Amino acid sequence: MSQFRAKKLDLGCFINIRVIRDHTKRKVFAEHEPERQALRYIIRNTTLPQRTRAQAQLQLSQMHCYTRGTQIKNRCIMGGKGRGVFRDFRLARFQFRMNALAGNLPGVKKASW
Amino acid sequence: MSVPRSRILDLMKAQCRIFSTTFNPERLRLGNKVLRQRLRGPTLAAYYPRKVATLKDLQNLYPTFEVVNDAEEDRLNKIKVAKMRGKGAPKKKRTAAESKKFGKKRGGGGAAKPPPT
Amino acid sequence: MAAPSYLRSPFGALKRIKISPPTSTCQQRAGFNTVIEALKDQEHDIEKLQELAKERNIKIDTDAPPALDPETQAQVSSLRLPRSVQAVYLRPLRRAAQHGIPVCDLQLRTYSVRNMEFFADFALRAAYYLNLPAKGPIPLPRITERWTVPRSNFVHKKSQENFERITLRRLIQIQDGHPETVRVWLGYLQKHAYYGVGMKANVFEFEGLDVGKDMEAETERQREGLEEKLSLFGRRTDGMTGEKIREILSSETYQRTAHGDSPMMRK
């Protein structure tokens, strides 16, 4: 991770080592995504020679785990929590509740029906 | 009556030219699916909000100017009030020994209590 | 129990008011003919104000304007407001569509009704003045998103709280409009966009049967200007995969796999 981590922190939300790691993974993924997609294309193209496809498979597996999209996890931007995060608000359950009751989330109100 | 294959292929070629689709009569797996996929790197990378300028930065930039930071002043007042009441933060334990002393004593005293009948 | 007046729509009230001749409003507003009278009514120190005005060279009219003779007064009182101003107090006018072919679908979305109502009204009036037959605002079904969240920050799953977010929608459809006019209308709405209202417009344009030829001619014309504009763009995100593929396949190791004496060469 040290090779990818930015020298200067550019996060404005809650700072946590886990949040920093996740942010680094996202940036690395965005940087290497075209390369990964290119390798995936080479692997799936049956008209290319088998050896090329095998080479691409090897190269893809050898890429750093930070380039993988599956390692990215949505965290709460106010508390850094990894579980119970809503996508619409990027907040975990308790933070969502506190902000909703305070009126910080537009349009969200207590439901009763 | 059967139509020669070349005619059908010509028709397919014309269709693909008109509708801008890929011409693949033998149904080979060419991996074009991957090329069509939308790249989601930039959207994922923009998940966490970037750093913005705060009052603290303003204070650091212009130390001679008076910057009124309400939230910071409220926080400092709260700490002051707590200290006056004697409820301020406890002193930092410098060595491991100091931090263990009180914790262990309470734990030993609790265990010695007889269980309720 | 009827809804309180601040929640009831003012636009409902519009249907019920009569446009009275401007006399009543003029008389109401002309309660104070001069600044001095208005201030006297509010018990301000007039001498001080007059001195201050003299210092700063501001003119306050100290005397009431000369009273009009009854004939002129009658004529003045019977004056009406301009028609476009009167129209603001009434429901928006509509143009009749000749063929009924939809040209533009504008969907408005908000979390609160009042500002969307106001903006829809504004959009309809703008369409009338641009000679665009508009249908609407048609209310579309509400979108309700619900979330159930534990009240506590730790365990205690059994006590939860429900939250919801209701999105209200309105549709304004323009029929039989000139595409340029529709673009002007949309641009005008974007320029004077109201807070809290989201807009999305689907525009339908119609071409003749020679559309292919027209499009080719159009691309030829635009090709010259296009090159210089494209050079200003940075790397386009969607074109990057193709470049990468070319780069990888032309690298040395991959060239050896394609032509050479290595294992797995024959398919």
Side-chain angles (χ1 to χ4, degrees), chain C residues 102-105 130 132-133 174-189 201-205:
Chain C
V103 164
C104 172
D105 280 335
L130 284 170
L132 292 169
I174 306 281
Q175 295 177 341
D176 301 350
H178 193 270
E180 197 58 49
T181 324
V182 168
R183 251 176 269 161
V184 166
W185 181 68
L186 290 172
Y188 186 68
L189 291 181
N202 286 331
V203 182
F204 307 99
E205 292 195 10

